Structure formats: structure tokens, C-alpha cells
Amino acid sequence: MVITVAIPTFARPGHALDALRSVAGEVCDVPFEVLVLDNACDSCLAESVGRLAKSAGVPVAYIPVPAVGLHNARHEAARRAHGDV
């Protein structure tokens, strides 16, 4: 079983990065991946997520979601997730 953790965000890069650091630093017996879904399509956030992804012990992906709305981010997460949960 693989778990997908989705972090939807809109114009709060600091909070998104804090959440990413927290989740990516977890030690878990079950493999998981982290998706950061950005409704603001912030290039600085994309770069920061990319840097963190290199040192994370789990797969991390930055996904821009230009269609604003939490439901759009959640739907994109469901489409991109590799996890079973």
C-alpha cells in the first residue's frame, strides 16, 4: 500500500513549505508520496518545492493548478496520485 499526501495551497507559500517539511520529515512504515498543488502557480514556490524534493526521503511533486478552487486542487491530486489511499 502507498499513501498520497496532498497539500493544496493558494498564495501561502510559507505555510505550504512548512506543511511539506513536516510531512516529508515523517518516518513511516508505509511508503508515501507528497503532492503540493498550487492554485497561485507561484514560480518561487515551485523552485522551493523542487529544492526540498531533492533532500526529502519520499517522492515530492509540485503541481500547478491554474483553475482556482480547492475542489480543482483536490481533483488534480486524485488524477495525479500514485497512492492507494
Side-chain angles (χ1 to χ4, degrees), residues 7-16 36-42 45 65-70 73:
I7 302 173
T9 186
F10 177 78
R12 294 184 181 205
H15 293 296
V36 178
L37 302 117
D38 185 10
N39 266 160
C41 300
D42 181 341
L45 178 59
V65 184
V68 177
L70 181 57

Side-chain angles (χ1 to χ4, degrees), residues 7 9 47 52 61 69 71:
I7 302 173
T9 186
E47 291 173 17
L52 283 170
H71 64 287

Side-chain angles (χ1 to χ4, degrees), residues 20-46:
L20 174 57
R21 284 185 198 101
S22 177
V23 171
E26 288 296 316
V27 175
C28 186
D29 293 336
V30 179
F32 67 97
E33 66 175 348
V34 182
L35 306 179
V36 178
L37 302 117
D38 185 10
N39 266 160
C41 300
D42 181 341
S43 61
C44 291
L45 178 59

